[in-house]
Amino acid sequence: MDYGDKLFWLSVVIQRKYAQICAEFDLTPSQATLLCAVRNESRQMADLAAALGMTKNALSQLVDRTARRELVGRAASEQDRRVIMLSATPTGKVLAEALYAEIAKRLPEIAGNLDADDQRDFERVATAIVDASDLTSPPSNQPTTP
């Protein structure tokens, strides 16, 4: 296997473990990702769509399904009524915190067969990759102008 193959299979290992954890909370991986993304603060729908790599329409459908379970809610921004903010409901926040804690505890198990030095290296490299990626969006309390 070449490097690309190894990265592909690493993504499969991570996705399988993540899906397993999500299923234990009766959430799809997409619902879990959404819930974890808004667990600490409201986020602009447009920023969230960009951060999650989704179209606005796909995100809206995901939000609809998750809102029916009363885990997230939409509201107009106080700064700009045209901007839609998404936040976790109180029930959603409790679930998101429990889910996130479980993910943070169990996802590192994928590196469990590595020795301590390799685990630290893996954490360092994973952190560098995430920090260099475009996964974060601007703070949601800043309204965007059309």
Side-chain angles (χ1 to χ4, degrees):
M1 267 195 245
D2 68 10
Y3 184 60
D5 286 337
K6 291 186 187 307
L7 288 175
F8 167 77
W9 287 111
L10 176 60
S11 76
V12 170
V13 169
I14 292 169
Q15 290 173 58
R16 282 180 41 195
K17 177 65 99 175
Y18 184 68
Q20 194 176 50
I21 297 166
C22 296
E24 292 170 13
F25 285 83
D26 193 30
L27 294 167
T28 67
S30 295
Q31 288 172 324
T33 300
L34 175 67
L35 204 50
C36 286
V38 298
R39 78 184 192 287
N40 291 326
E41 66 176 346
S42 296
R43 306 269 307 253
Q44 289 183 16
M45 291 276 291
D47 289 347
L48 197 52
L52 298 179
M54 301 177 79
T55 65
K56 290 177 187 176
N57 186 47
L59 177 60
S60 187
Q61 291 175 12
L62 175 60
V63 169
D64 288 344
R65 290 190 304 274
T66 311
R68 280 194 291 274
R69 295 186 58 188
E70 299 181 359
L71 300 175
V72 296
R74 291 180 180 104
S77 167
E78 292 177 14
Q79 292 88 3
D80 184 342
R81 306 299 285 166
R82 298 168 295 178
V83 174
I84 303 300
M85 303 297 292
L86 184 69
S87 60
T89 63
T91 299
K93 183 157 178 57
V94 169
L95 180 60
E97 291 297 336
L99 170 67
Y100 192 81
E102 195 65 16
I103 291 166
K105 180 178 103 183
R106 291 182 37 206
L107 207 51
E109 292 172 1
I110 65 166
N113 65 332
L114 302 177
D115 66 34
D117 287 341
D118 287 344
Q119 285 185 23
R120 280 190 295 279
D121 288 345
F122 186 75
E123 179 182 1
R124 181 185 52 74
V125 170
T127 299
I129 291 169
V130 171
D131 288 351
S133 71
D134 193 22
L135 293 176
T136 59
S137 59
S140 57
N141 57 359
Q142 306 281 324
T144 58
T145 53

